[in-house]
């Protein structure tokens, strides 16, 4: 494996190997200087979600042996923990061609390095409460890259088109394949479906990864573009993750293109890939077969998908309580998802036990929406659930609101106005129901019952 991969394109601009190598070496020197002599080294944080800053910092961190702490997608996650000794930020002159980020020490007085062998830390919203940092070892990242490439048949001759953020485990796993196997990486720093379509049609591409929303738009564009249709059909990999792939989206793509979307299943805590579809591992209604070296079992009683293998996290940083909840006594990851495994090893994902909302491939804690609703003085409590739909954007958001005074319930119009001001469009509740919440014996709202009520609508307004 060469110190720096050779073929890289960022937003349509080819990056010379010498320019990339110079940027990585410069960043590695600055990183070593700012992190100091700690052994094992402190982590380096990346104050960006994609683009040259993340890519160059990741390559430089590997050179100096420093763990990489990737930025989360929520602003509240940017309080760097004690393990982070330096932060890399995009250079002000990046638009002029500057690849190397600015590296500055955090001067954290109680700096403590992560456990030896730590490779990267990813933020995850989890099912509820504050975000947690998932710790993955270098060995886990190496395993994921090689096992995924083997499963999909990717090698150093492939050209990977990646229009996903590098700070998420899915996008970072594709970067990891390029890092370790070579080939070409065509990185988009923003998801613009029309640009993806243009690159698929006009630039050598053998592998594409994206979310369901992207494939819905690509199929629509391919209806009137024979060249795009042919190029999509010729791809070795049409990988899809980050959210449930709606059956109508998959069927429409297959009808237009004449080839399937390769659905998959994974989660940050698993490194992330668990099971993937490919031309050699394809069965309708499933997410493919499990990666070589990974094992899946279905828990009796609950039907929960549980995972074991070398790609699993070591735990949540500084959260032994949450780690103990996520990992069983015998070391299996409790995914919070339900599913089934057939006799041929194909995995089907049936539903979720976890209280998360998935929109455009990103996980959001219900508390983000609930806190907005609870800010209304007329609201005593609020519970928000996500209902899987057959739409490419992901879940529909349902809100159940309990009035502070049943005789003077909050105005639905006022609640919607509040959500409109505070939330992005797809996180605004599609349905708001006002009334007394069903509760468990301990007094907590019965989320399972509320989820069933919301699911009964099929994700549609009543």
């Amino acid at each position: 494996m060469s110190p720096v991969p050779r073929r890289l394109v960022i937003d349509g601009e080819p990056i010379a190997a010498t320019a990339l190598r110079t940027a990585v070496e410069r960043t590695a020197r600055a990183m070593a200087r700012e992190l100091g002599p700690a052994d094992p080294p402190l982590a380096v944080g990346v104050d960006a979600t994609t683009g040259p800053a993340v890519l160059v910092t990741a390559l430089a961190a590997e050179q100096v042996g420093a763990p990489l702490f990737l930025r989360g997608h929520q602003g509240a996650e940017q309080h760097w923990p004690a393990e982070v000794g330096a932060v890399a930020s995009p250079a002000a002159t990046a638009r002029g061609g500057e690849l190397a980020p600015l590296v500055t020490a955090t001067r954290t007085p109680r700096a403590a390095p992560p456990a030896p062998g730590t490779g990267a830390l990813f933020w995850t919203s989890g099912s509820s409460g504050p975000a947690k940092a998932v710790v993955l070892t270098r060995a886990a990242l190496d395993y994921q890259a090689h096992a995924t490439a083997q499963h999909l048949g990717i090698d150093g001759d492939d050209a990977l088109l990646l229009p996903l953020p590098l700070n998420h485990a899915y996008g970072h796993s594709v970067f990891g394949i390029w890092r370790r196997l070579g080939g070409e990486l065509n990185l988009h720093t923003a998801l613009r479906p029309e640009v993806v379509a243009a690159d698929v049609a006009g630039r050598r591409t053998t592998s594409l990864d994206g979310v369901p929303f992207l494939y819905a738009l690509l199929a629509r564009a391919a209806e009137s573009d024979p060249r795009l249709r042919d190029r999509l059909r010729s791809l070795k990999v049409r990988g899809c993750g980050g959210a449930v792939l709606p059956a109508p989206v998959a069927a429409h793509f297959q009808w237009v293109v004449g080839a399937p979307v390769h659905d998959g299943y994974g989660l940050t805590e698993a490194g992330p890939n668990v099971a993937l579809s490919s031309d050699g591992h394809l069965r309708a209604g499933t997410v493919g077969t499990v990666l070589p070296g990974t094992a899946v079992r279905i828990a009796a009683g609950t039907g929960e998908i549980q995972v074991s293998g070398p790609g699993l996290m070591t735990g949540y940083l500084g959260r032994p309580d949450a780690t103990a909840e996520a990992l069983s006594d015998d070391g299996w990851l409790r995914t919070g998802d339900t599913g089934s495994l057939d006799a041929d090893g194909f995995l089907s994902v049936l539903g979720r036990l976890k209280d998360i909302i998935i929109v455009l491939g990103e996980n959001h804690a219900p508390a983000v929406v609930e806190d907005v609703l609870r800010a209304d003085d007329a609201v005593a409590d609020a519970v928000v659930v996500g209902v899987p739909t057959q739409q490419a954007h992901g879940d529909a958001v349902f809100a159940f609101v309990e009035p502070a005074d049943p005789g003077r319930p909050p105005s639905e119009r006022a609640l919607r106005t509040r959500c409109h001001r505070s939330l992005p469009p797809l996180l605004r509740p599609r349905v708001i129901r006002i009334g007394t919440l069903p509760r468990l014996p301990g007094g907590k709202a019965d989320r399972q019952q509320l989820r069933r009520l919301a699911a009964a609508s099929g994700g549609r307004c009543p």
Side-chain angles (χ1 to χ4, degrees), residues 283-284 286 288-289 298 340-348:
R283 180 167 293 179
T286 77
T289 56
I298 308 299
S340 63
L341 197 64
D342 70 18
D344 296 323
F346 285 86
L347 178 66
S348 297

Side-chain angles (χ1 to χ4, degrees), residues 344-426:
D344 296 323
F346 285 86
L347 178 66
S348 297
V349 181
L350 306 177
R352 293 195 299 274
L353 297 175
K354 298 186 292 184
D355 295 323
I356 60 174
I357 301 168
I358 302 178
V359 173
L360 293 180
E362 290 193 350
N363 293 355
H364 300 269
V368 172
V369 184
E370 292 166 351
D371 288 346
V372 172
L373 296 168
R374 292 182 185 130
D376 192 307
D377 291 338
V379 174
D381 199 5
V383 172
V384 170
V385 299
V387 178
T389 70
Q390 292 302 305
Q391 302 298 316
H393 62 70
D395 291 354
V397 180
F398 277 58
F400 298 87
V401 173
E402 188 169 274
D405 180 354
R408 301 178 63 184
S411 160
E412 180 177 341
R413 181 176 180 179
L415 294 176
R416 290 193 179 279
T417 299
R418 185 179 293 275
C419 291
H420 187 273
R421 292 173 178 171
S422 304
L423 297 168
L426 290 177

Side-chain angles (χ1 to χ4, degrees), residues 173-252:
S173 70
V174 179
F175 160 79
I177 292 174
W178 169 74
R179 173 67 190 97
R180 291 162 177 82
L181 275 73
E184 179 175 306
L185 177 66
N186 180 5
L187 176 66
H188 291 195
T189 59
L191 177 55
R192 296 187 293 271
E194 68 280 5
V195 180
V196 174
D199 270 8
V200 170
R203 185 186 294 274
R204 180 178 180 268
T205 304
T206 63
S207 173
L208 169 67
D209 281 275
V211 295
F213 176 73
L214 173 64
Y215 286 100
L217 296 182
L218 287 176
R220 190 180 306 167
E223 287 180 326
S224 58
D225 188 338
R227 179 173 175 80
L228 174 61
R229 188 163 59 243
D230 291 344
R231 295 301 298 273
L232 285 169
R233 183 169 56 248
S234 70
L235 292 176
K236 179 188 295 186
V237 175
R238 295 170 292 275
C240 185
V244 175
L245 176 63
V249 173
H252 183 235

